[in-house]
Amino acid sequence: LMVLLSGVMMICSFMKTLSNIGKYCLVVSACNYVNLFVQLGFIGHSEPNWANAESILGIPAGTVATYAFVPGQSLMNKVVAVTNISFVFAGSIVFPEVISEMRRPWEFWKSMLVAQSIILVVYLVYGNYIYANQGQFSNSPAVFGVSNISALKGLAFMTFVTGFIQNIFYGHISCKIVYKNYMPLISKTIRFESKRGIIFWSLTVFIVWVIIFVIGAGVPQVSAVSAFTSSLTMIPLTY
């Protein structure tokens, strides 16, 4: 399954411009927000998914408890939580790539302001509502906390599609960064529109996605590794 997904995402990454992917991102973003609010409706009117809480989190069914500061958490859990937050800032590495393809780059700040405002409001409401209703049984992704099995399958599928499109977007950005920074070391006369440029671009996409697959499939604790590297490198390198 991982080989299939990586292969499909690699093929999609061959698109040369972000605008092609951006159209799909817009549709998926709209579906994602609908998905989030539907999740809130189910979670607010039913018990947590006890089976998933036990199988994923290792917590047996019990009384929901919420805290301003969760007691008894290890230092490791707190550090991982903080490093995960750093992903929020690391996303700004894509800004130069987005701006470089805009017809009116100076309009970017307006889009950024609107996007960040929506994200801040929606996810603060979403995160607090989930935790208020499910407490220590809150899953990540939170959709696993939906106890209605039919709804869980549909909402989980939409969550998967959202992540799938996001992976294509970030994979495409990674390919462009590698292409712009490292391919000129091999050939200084390379042009993106030329036949040779297309060959180099195809080679770049293939290599990047093979590396992504190897890391994703071969590292047992890939989430812990990515959290550590994000805190170590992404924030300083982004700014």
Side-chain angles (χ1 to χ4, degrees):
L1 183 60
M2 286 187 68
V3 172
L4 175 63
L5 290 174
S6 298
V8 173
M9 287 188 281
M10 179 178 69
I11 292 169
C12 294
S13 290
F14 277 102
M15 287 187 279
K16 287 187 177 181
T17 60
L18 285 172
S19 59
N20 293 328
I21 301 175
K23 295 169 186 175
Y24 297 105
C25 288
L26 188 61
V27 174
V28 169
S29 293
C31 293
N32 183 45
Y33 285 120
V34 172
N35 180 13
L36 296 182
F37 285 109
V38 172
Q39 287 179 38
L40 296 185
F42 278 101
I43 286 173
H45 295 87
S46 60
E47 293 182 325
N49 189 320
W50 304 119
N52 278 349
E54 187 161 7
S55 65
I56 298 173
L57 303 174
I59 304 175
T63 305
V64 173
T66 56
Y67 303 91
F69 297 95
V70 180
Q73 282 233 323
S74 67
L75 176 63
M76 176 64 71
N77 287 340
K78 294 176 181 178
V79 170
V80 170
V82 172
T83 54
N84 281 332
I85 292 172
S86 67
F87 279 123
V88 176
F89 302 97
S92 54
I93 194 73
V94 307
F95 293 172
E97 302 298 326
V98 174
I99 292 172
S100 69
E101 296 191 16
M102 290 182 68
R103 289 193 184 94
R104 296 185 297 276
W106 285 105
E107 298 290 301
F108 177 77
W109 70 271
K110 298 176 185 177
S111 304
M112 181 66 188
L113 186 62
V114 172
Q116 292 296 336
S117 300
I118 293 173
I119 290 170
L120 180 66
V121 172
V122 170
Y123 281 96
L124 278 179
V125 171
Y126 178 80
N128 282 295
Y129 189 88
I130 295 288
Y131 182 68
N133 281 276
Q134 298 201 338
Q136 73 274 33
F137 301 104
S138 303
N139 265 292
S140 179
V143 67
F144 290 135
V146 175
S147 54
N148 183 305
I149 301 303
S150 298
L152 173 60
K153 289 179 180 178
L155 294 169
F157 177 73
M158 279 307 305
T159 302
F160 165 77
V161 170
T162 302
F164 185 79
I165 300 294
Q166 287 175 341
N167 287 342
I168 293 172
F169 181 82
Y170 284 110
H172 183 86
I173 292 291
S174 300
C175 294
K176 280 208 162 179
I177 291 173
V178 171
Y179 182 87
K180 290 179 179 177
N181 288 282
Y182 298 107
M183 287 303 163
L185 299 177
I186 300 173
S187 176
K188 294 184 179 180
T189 59
I190 190 170
R191 288 190 303 108
F192 198 52
E193 300 81 9
S194 66
K195 185 177 179 180
R196 195 177 182 198
I198 294 172
I199 293 172
F200 272 91
W201 169 247
S202 301
L203 184 64
T204 303
V205 172
F206 178 77
I207 291 172
V208 168
W209 276 102
V210 166
I211 293 171
I212 290 171
F213 172 78
V214 169
I215 294 174
V219 180
Q221 292 292 335
V222 69
S223 59
V225 173
S226 63
F228 173 73
T229 53
S230 73
S231 63
L232 186 68
T233 62
M234 282 188 175
I235 292 178
L237 291 181
T238 295
Y239 289 104

